[in-house]
Amino acid sequence: MRSPLLALAAVAALAAGTVQAQTANYAIDPTHTFATFEIDHFGASVNRVRFDKKEGTVQFDKASKTGKVELTLQMNSVNSGTAPFDKHLQSADIFDAAQHPTAKFVGDKFTFNGDKVTEVAGTLTLKGKTGPVVFKAKQFNCYESPMLKREVCGGDFEATIDRTAFGVDYGVQYGFPKNVRIVAQIEAVKQ
């Protein structure tokens, strides 16, 4: 559920760099990219869970302010910090990772404020269902990495989705909310 947000963040981050006349390709850096989701737990606390395995690419033309981001999350890499809860999240009750091993965000609509990306819109496919999602950029920047000697763009993005629109409706009957907040920290390296 959090995974689409990561892809969005990568796209927005890429838009912040120097203007170019052609499309540049970036690869999501999995060591600096994290997708998480948050859901209220009876008003007492908030469950926070991340996905440990992810991959993706970004194609971006800064001059024309166009591009495409694709981010794929491995649903069996869900990590709550509690193994029994992870197994339940992977089960048919929730993500059904055996039947739907990945979630994917594809974003291709960018909104700017000057040269800065403010949001990325696209579609999220989760548990075999596809729907629209808009990720808002909380921050992002492009920089020349002193270690990689290449441009890196990254940012923090957020979106809220109605999980039941994707067939993830476990617990609604017990009072768990339908809305889930997705937070994504993304960095992508120019190829």
Side-chain angles (χ1 to χ4, degrees):
M1 298 171 72
R2 283 283 258 162
S3 50
L5 177 44
L6 292 180
L8 218 221
V11 171
L14 296 176
T18 308
V19 174
Q20 292 180 326
Q22 63 186 23
T23 300
N25 293 310
Y26 297 77
I28 301 292
D29 177 355
T31 65
H32 289 92
T33 298
F34 298 95
T36 62
F37 70 87
E38 302 174 353
I39 186 168
D40 183 79
H41 191 254
F42 296 109
S45 62
V46 175
N47 286 332
R48 291 178 176 90
V49 180
R50 77 177 194 195
F51 295 91
D52 289 336
K53 295 180 183 174
K54 59 274 177 190
E55 62 185 20
T57 59
V58 178
Q59 299 158 350
F60 192 70
D61 183 334
K62 294 175 186 176
S64 67
K65 297 182 179 179
T66 60
K68 183 176 184 179
V69 61
E70 294 187 21
L71 180 70
T72 301
L73 302 177
Q74 299 297 320
M75 300 310 286
N76 65 359
S77 75
V78 66
N79 184 348
S80 68
T82 305
F85 186 37
D86 295 347
K87 282 189 164 248
H88 190 218
L89 289 168
Q90 294 171 29
S91 76
D93 281 348
I94 303 178
F95 292 131
D96 197 4
Q99 294 297 313
H100 305 283
T102 63
K104 185 173 187 174
F105 175 77
V106 178
D108 60 0
K109 295 172 187 73
F110 302 86
T111 302
F112 289 79
N113 180 2
D115 288 337
K116 300 276 185 179
V117 173
T118 58
E119 66 182 36
V120 178
T123 58
L124 170 63
T125 301
L126 175 65
K127 205 172 178 180
K129 298 186 186 307
T130 301
V133 175
V134 177
F135 285 93
K136 305 274 185 187
K138 294 308 205 179
Q139 70 180 47
F140 70 89
N141 187 43
C142 292
Y143 64 96
E144 188 67 24
S145 169
M147 282 81 66
L148 300 175
K149 309 293 187 219
R150 288 190 274 169
E151 182 182 44
V152 175
C153 296
D156 285 349
F157 294 83
E158 296 181 4
T160 298
I161 64 167
D162 175 348
R163 65 190 174 93
T164 63
F166 298 93
V168 183
D169 49 10
Y170 177 83
V172 172
Q173 72 275 28
Y174 303 128
F176 289 107
K178 293 180 180 181
N179 287 343
V180 173
R181 182 173 171 244
I182 300 171
V183 178
Q185 163 196 333
I186 293 180
E187 290 198 23
V189 180
K190 190 172 182 179
Q191 301 301 294

